[in-house]
Amino acid sequence: MRELHHTILADNEEKTALRQLIFTLKASGQCYFLRNEILQAFSKYCHQIQKPTYFYYSSAIGKLLHRTHEIILEEESTWFVVRPKIASQEVWRLTSEFTQFELMSTQAFLDVSDRLVNAYKPNILEIDLSPFYKASPSISDPRNIGQGLAFLNHYLCHQLENNPQCWFEGLYLALQELQYDGMRLLLNDRISSGIQLAKQVHQAIKFLHQRHPDEPYAKFRFDLQELGLEPGWGNTAHRILETLELLEHLIDSPQPAILEAFMSRVPAIFRVVLVSIHGWVAQERVMGRDETLGQVVYVLEQARSLENKLREDIKLAGLDLLNIQPHVIILTRLIPKCEGTLCNLRLEKVNGTENAWILRVPFRQFNPEITDNWISKFDIWPYLESFALDAETELLAQFQGKPNLIIGNYSDGNLVAFLLSRLLQVTQCNIAHSLEKPKYLFSNLHWQDLEEQYHFSAQFTADLISMNAADFIITSSYQEIVGTPDSMGQYESYKCFTMPNLYHVVDGIDLFSPKFNLVPPGVNESIFFSYRQAKDRDSNLSKQVYELIFHHEDAEILGYLENPSKRPIFAVAPITSIKNLAGLAECFAKSPALQEHCNLILLTSKLHTSETTNPEEAGEIQKLHDLINQYGLHNKIRWLGLRLQNREVGEAYRVIADCRGIYVHFARFEALGRSILEAMISGLPTFATKFGGALEIIENNTDGFYVNPTDLEGTAHKIVTFLEKCDAYPEYWEEVSEWMSQRIHHKYNWHSHTSKLLSLAKIFSFWNFVVPENNEARDRYMEALFHLLYKPRSEKILEKHMER
């Protein structure tokens, strides 16, 4: 960056352009500018001064501004927050005389941010987590962020090569610790060291070569026990031989692939807790409210997949001989006033499983008027500590032992996972596909103004605690961690920020830590599958859904279609400002070309403002009604405000595909977007927001299916161009439909997700066993943040609740 700065200040044309741009920004009356505003102002300047195109992109000032994500204007200086590359940030101050750029500290930047909102406070608390990561192995190449499992496998193999005796002894001790309810697994006391383990493994391999490959383990179990080997190596002679040969290869010649293959076979996980607190977690009549529907579906499908995979692993390990069964629990809250659902039922079996359950634990009744009812994700914070304490007792009773893995979901679930992990000393995994901080612009800077409604001070503190305490973190996309060259990632937004008058986060998370792992979710392919699979479709259901979408009249359906034969544009989403259905309707309304080619069909859960108590939701509903009335769209749009069953939604995608329609996901930001996966696997050509994980889901060679929700005209043009190509070459729609469907089928499936999740849990448990590092010191620091920052904030919320 220094070279760019030097070029700008040494070149009269560049320096003049920078000076005039800053004067223009100051004239606006604003003091704070984000990347889009900066580039729009620079583009306007280049146009007015008639600069050539290259100046906007390739000049020194152009390169600087394209890497600048924030500008703060002060009377005496201008501050530039620059991202020279992904996961890297620098702060530069330009003096008022335009003579020098100075590299500034993070602390100085946070101070100037506070001054921006007139909330500067000297000697404010600084949170700096970097000391806990300094001694840890770290990924060096930003392109490999999110590949923690592969990195750790390489790192461990390297350590095995460099110090084999020490590390193999650690592996022996880790294997010796394995047990299930007091029953020893893999090794018994006849093996007392790593060296002896190597010898006995060699003897066992010779013994197994003499057995028939299909001979069941039960027939020679006692022979292996004489060698010091307990159950868990496999269910047949061939399977056990494979596992022992992997271990022998690992001892002789450590390789990452061998380590991963061996660890995947180690029987270390039998009981898993999935924590999902604030939603309506149920299976009949309700599956979460709009704000949590995706999370509830995700957790239920993950539970089914985990139980299936664990059952398969237990059988292959030969442990069904000991009557060992997998046990998966979805931990959520019990809601006494459950509005006709089963959310007041303490224990409910997960459909399609043998031993996966929803365990509901009630919140303590601080104020029954609050705790007996559903509580929004923004208000739930005062009840989580006592919930975790009560849940510990319930889980131990239900499992009749300790779990092996705790997986948190969303901010509240992750905090409870942290508390339970500390209580039970169990490996903790975090999943937070949607973090609120990056979704609400300036939410940290203006937290005090937003506190009454959103309680961000508690939530952002909870996020910092849980993401740093977690043994590993699962994300759906690379962008979720560190964004793109043009945009900041969700986790990256926690790297450095201020909560004026509360604290400064100088270094909130190590983005290069191997704890980050990209493990995309799957799709329930018994419900969501290609429209081409005619044999799997229910013809009666297809007719019913077609009639519902295109013709049925109902108080919860608005609009009729003057020409139903036009290609449908389909969108499925809850009504929130982030999902931006009003933006899609406006895009359609303002494009005669789109209306000529298409009808617009929206599937939401509500149609009328009277159906919601959420002001934001009510505003979006009203905005949609206003657009439909203003542009006279009643004969070109169908808005279904109905909560359909999953199988009906799945068929709806296929019905739209039958009509050669398209799917549009027009969110302002989307970490992943389950509906994108569902639409694509159903065979619908899908246009999705360029802001978030959809970039990785679609992953086309061109940007033809990415849309900018702030560019209505550009979006309409992109869709019309595609449709015109389909009209000219009908096979083109089929080609796009097929590759999108196959991409989801192969990359986004639950079997792959679960296999990697369990591999991560095993390798991180092993890592923590052999190299505890700063984990205890880190967790003590997190406990301090919990008691000194989080609890006082949550207690303030509780005080308000007690007054209701």
Side-chain angles (χ1 to χ4, degrees):
M1 295 309 300
R2 289 187 185 277
E3 187 176 336
L4 268 184
H5 296 151
H6 176 76
T7 301
I8 292 169
L9 297 180
D11 184 291
N12 283 334
E13 182 184 14
E14 299 260 7
K15 186 173 181 178
T16 299
L18 179 59
R19 187 190 302 272
Q20 291 181 352
L21 176 66
I22 290 175
F23 287 164
T24 300
L25 294 177
K26 285 185 175 180
S28 71
Q30 288 182 232
C31 296
Y32 187 89
F33 300 87
L34 293 174
R35 185 174 184 273
N36 278 349
E37 297 171 304
I38 297 164
L39 291 178
Q40 285 173 8
F42 184 52
S43 175
K44 187 176 180 181
Y45 165 79
C46 290
H47 179 73
Q48 289 174 342
I49 308 301
Q50 296 184 336
K51 295 287 187 185
T53 303
Y54 83 86
F55 191 82
Y56 175 78
Y57 292 103
S58 304
S59 64
I61 183 177
K63 291 177 181 177
L64 171 65
L65 295 178
H66 277 84
R67 297 174 189 174
T68 299
H69 283 252
E70 300 172 45
I71 285 179
I72 296 178
L73 300 178
E74 282 198 306
E75 189 173 335
E76 296 299 322
S77 55
T78 303
W79 296 70
F80 293 78
V81 180
V82 181
R83 285 175 89 220
K85 57 185 178 181
I86 279 179
S88 175
Q89 180 175 294
E90 297 174 358
V91 179
W92 294 85
R93 187 175 73 91
L94 174 64
T95 58
S96 58
E97 300 85 10
F98 291 83
T99 56
Q100 186 180 6
F101 277 99
E102 298 175 309
L103 183 62
M104 306 301 290
S105 67
T106 298
Q107 288 88 339
F109 167 64
L110 296 175
D111 284 343
V112 77
S113 299
D114 287 353
R115 290 198 295 271
L116 184 67
V117 292
N118 298 315
Y120 172 68
K121 179 181 179 181
N123 303 318
I124 194 169
L125 171 66
E126 291 185 347
I127 298 173
D128 184 356
L129 281 305
S130 60
F132 300 108
Y133 293 101
K134 279 182 179 175
S136 303
S138 182
I139 293 168
S140 56
D141 189 338
R143 292 173 296 183
N144 293 330
I145 288 173
Q147 302 299 324
L149 178 62
F151 171 84
L152 214 49
N153 283 331
H154 278 86
Y155 182 85
L156 288 168
C157 285
H158 182 68
Q159 298 301 311
L160 277 165
E161 284 182 322
N162 287 350
N163 193 351
Q165 184 174 351
C166 174
W167 277 83
F168 186 58
E169 202 64 28
L171 177 61
Y172 155 72
L173 291 172
L175 296 179
Q176 190 189 51
E177 286 286 314
L178 292 175
Q179 55 86 29
Y180 179 86
D181 287 352
M183 289 187 290
R184 295 284 292 273
L185 304 179
L186 296 188
L187 305 180
N188 61 38
D189 291 336
R190 289 185 175 88
I191 297 176
S192 58
S193 69
I195 293 173
Q196 191 181 6
L197 172 60
K199 290 178 181 177
Q200 297 303 89
V201 165
H202 183 68
Q203 290 298 317
I205 288 172
K206 286 175 62 178
F207 168 79
L208 289 165
H209 274 299
Q210 299 169 15
R211 320 296 294 195
H212 188 278
D214 295 331
E215 187 175 351
Y217 167 65
K219 289 194 174 182
F220 53 86
R221 171 183 178 181
F222 298 111
D223 296 293
L224 290 185
Q225 284 182 322
E226 286 294 320
L227 294 173
L229 304 182
E230 290 293 324
W233 296 98
N235 60 340
T236 65
H238 176 69
R239 177 77 179 183
I240 297 170
L241 181 61
E242 278 187 339
T243 307
L244 292 174
E245 285 179 338
L246 283 171
L247 179 55
E248 187 177 54
H249 287 315
L250 189 61
I251 297 167
D252 295 339
S253 179
Q255 296 175 26
I258 293 174
L259 175 61
E260 184 170 352
F262 174 72
M263 292 301 295
S264 71
R265 294 189 177 205
V266 172
I269 299 175
F270 308 100
R271 297 166 173 147
V272 181
V273 181
L274 307 175
V275 189
S276 179
I277 306 295
H278 65 275
W280 293 87
V281 181
Q283 301 174 95
E284 295 179 13
R285 293 193 289 275
V286 64
M287 290 182 68
R289 294 217 169 174
D290 284 347
E291 68 178 38
T292 57
L293 177 58
Q295 182 188 141
V296 173
V297 173
Y298 177 100
V299 170
L300 284 167
E301 291 181 2
Q302 188 182 54
R304 292 188 188 99
S305 182
L306 271 168
E307 199 236 16
N308 288 336
K309 176 62 176 166
L310 288 172
R311 191 170 299 282
E312 175 187 317
D313 289 350
I314 287 169
K315 183 177 180 180
L316 288 172
L319 294 177
D320 52 347
L321 181 73
L322 304 179
N323 294 319
I324 292 176
Q325 297 289 320
H327 196 167
V328 177
I329 287 178
I330 299 173
L331 175 65
T332 189
R333 62 169 297 228
L334 185 146
I335 308 174
K337 295 180 180 178
C338 60
E339 301 180 15
T341 72
L342 297 180
C343 292
N344 64 343
L345 188 66
R346 177 184 175 274
L347 199 62
E348 180 185 359
K349 192 174 184 181
V350 175
N351 296 337
T353 70
E354 293 181 44
N355 201 22
W357 301 82
I358 302 170
L359 174 64
R360 300 184 181 92
V361 177
F363 284 167
R364 292 184 187 173
Q365 288 192 331
F366 295 94
N367 177 356
E369 290 297 317
I370 302 292
T371 52
D372 280 1
N373 296 285
W374 175 80
I375 301 174
S376 163
K377 62 184 178 181
F378 296 117
D379 287 317
I380 203 167
W381 309 107
Y383 311 104
L384 298 183
E385 183 181 17
S386 58
F387 175 85
L389 293 171
D390 295 340
E392 178 195 18
T393 304
E394 294 278 356
L395 287 170
L396 291 174
Q398 202 63 36
F399 280 132
Q400 297 184 339
K402 283 170 54 173
N404 310 112
L405 174 64
I406 299 174
I407 303 173
N409 286 272
Y410 190 70
S411 300
D412 52 353
N414 285 326
L415 187 71
V416 170
F418 158 69
L419 296 171
L420 286 171
S421 175
R422 288 295 287 162
L423 290 167
L424 297 169
Q425 294 299 296
V426 173
T427 301
Q428 176 194 350
C429 166
N430 272 24
I431 302 176
H433 297 314
S434 178
L435 291 164
E436 301 299 329
K437 182 175 175 291
K439 284 164 58 176
Y440 290 83
L441 281 178
F442 315 122
S443 53
N444 62 290
L445 204 56
H446 298 287
W447 71 270
Q448 288 167 291
D449 299 328
L450 302 168
E451 190 71 355
E452 186 71 24
Q453 182 176 356
Y454 295 111
H455 307 300
F456 285 141
S457 64
Q459 180 159 7
F460 299 168
T461 306
D463 287 335
L464 278 174
I465 292 167
S466 60
M467 69 176 63
N468 282 285
D471 294 294
F472 64 100
I473 297 171
I474 282 180
T475 70
S476 298
S477 65
Y478 177 85
Q479 279 90 352
E480 195 176 322
I481 310 169
V482 288
T484 69
D486 298 336
S487 62
M488 189 174 288
Q490 290 193 70
Y491 282 95
E492 188 179 4
S493 73
Y494 284 81
K495 180 74 173 172
C496 164
F497 66 96
T498 174
M499 301 286 282
N501 289 318
L502 188 61
Y503 57 72
H504 282 173
V505 176
V506 176
D507 195 331
I509 187 70
D510 181 7
L511 301 169
F512 292 85
S513 169
K515 74 164 57 182
F516 283 106
N517 282 271
L518 174 55
V519 187
V523 178
N524 186 340
E525 294 190 42
S526 66
I527 295 173
F528 303 101
F529 53 85
S530 173
Y531 78 99
R532 297 176 182 84
Q533 295 173 220
K535 67 180 187 305
D536 298 319
R537 296 178 67 178
D538 181 329
S539 59
N540 289 328
L541 179 64
S542 294
K543 291 174 185 175
Q544 291 169 12
V545 171
Y546 178 88
E547 178 66 22
L548 181 69
I549 290 174
F550 290 99
H551 301 295
H552 185 70
E553 294 184 10
D554 190 280
E556 300 304 318
I557 298 176
L558 178 69
Y560 66 96
L561 301 180
E562 188 176 61
N563 187 350
S565 63
K566 289 181 180 180
R567 291 183 192 267
I569 296 175
F570 192 41
V572 180
I575 303 181
T576 67
S577 59
I578 297 293
K579 298 301 182 183
N580 197 30
L581 287 178
L584 176 59
E586 186 176 1
C587 176
F588 180 76
K590 290 182 174 180
S591 173
L594 265 185
Q595 294 176 42
E596 181 182 341
H597 282 85
C598 304
N599 293 310
L600 177 61
I601 298 173
L602 307 177
L603 177 57
T604 72
S605 61
K606 297 181 180 72
L607 181 65
H608 306 292
T609 55
S610 58
E611 296 173 286
T612 180
T613 57
N614 183 316
E616 178 188 323
E617 190 176 47
E620 289 297 305
I621 292 173
Q622 189 58 53
K623 195 182 296 183
L624 267 169
H625 281 288
D626 292 344
L627 283 165
I628 292 168
N629 292 329
Q630 179 184 348
Y631 291 94
L633 299 177
H634 289 87
N635 61 346
K636 298 175 182 178
I637 189 171
R638 290 271 288 176
W639 176 5
L640 288 74
L642 303 168
R643 188 182 285 280
L644 303 183
Q645 296 296 318
N646 262 1
R647 58 193 293 270
E648 295 172 316
V649 176
E651 191 59 31
Y653 289 118
R654 292 186 287 273
V655 165
I656 299 295
D658 290 335
C659 301
R660 298 301 185 265
I662 63 171
Y663 187 79
V664 179
H665 191 87
F666 209 51
R668 291 189 172 95
F669 175 83
E670 185 60 75
L672 178 73
R674 290 187 57 82
S675 67
I676 299 173
L677 303 180
E678 294 165 358
M680 286 176 67
I681 202 168
S682 302
L684 276 175
T686 298
F687 293 79
T689 178
K690 65 186 289 187
F691 301 121
L695 291 169
E696 291 171 49
I697 297 176
I698 296 176
E699 201 179 54
N700 194 19
N701 292 329
T702 70
D703 68 350
F705 296 95
Y706 308 142
V707 294
N708 183 344
T710 65
D711 181 6
L712 304 185
E713 185 178 344
T715 296
H717 176 73
K718 189 170 284 191
I719 294 173
V720 168
T721 300
F722 169 76
L723 296 177
E724 287 176 344
K725 188 170 181 179
C726 291
D727 290 342
Y729 307 98
E731 66 275 11
Y732 182 62
W733 186 96
E734 291 282 356
E735 290 169 5
V736 172
S737 166
E738 178 64 14
W739 75 252
M740 284 196 172
S741 182
Q742 289 301 315
R743 174 164 176 75
I744 303 305
H745 175 71
H746 291 298
K747 184 171 181 180
Y748 294 87
N749 62 80
W750 280 113
H751 185 270
S752 173
H753 170 97
T754 307
S755 296
K756 190 168 183 182
L757 169 60
L758 293 175
S759 291
L760 282 163
K762 291 173 184 178
I763 202 73
F764 275 95
S765 296
F766 171 60
W767 171 253
N768 289 336
F769 180 83
V770 294
V771 188
E773 292 181 323
N774 286 334
N775 286 1
E776 184 59 26
R778 175 204 66 191
D779 290 347
R780 287 296 186 185
Y781 189 89
M782 294 304 108
E783 286 180 342
L785 294 183
F786 176 82
H787 288 286
L788 299 177
L789 284 177
Y790 172 82
K791 282 189 71 171
R793 304 310 309 174
S794 67
E795 285 166 0
K796 285 184 178 293
I797 303 170
L798 183 59
E799 288 173 11
K800 294 285 186 182
H801 287 189
M802 294 299 287
E803 294 170 2
R804 293 185 186 178

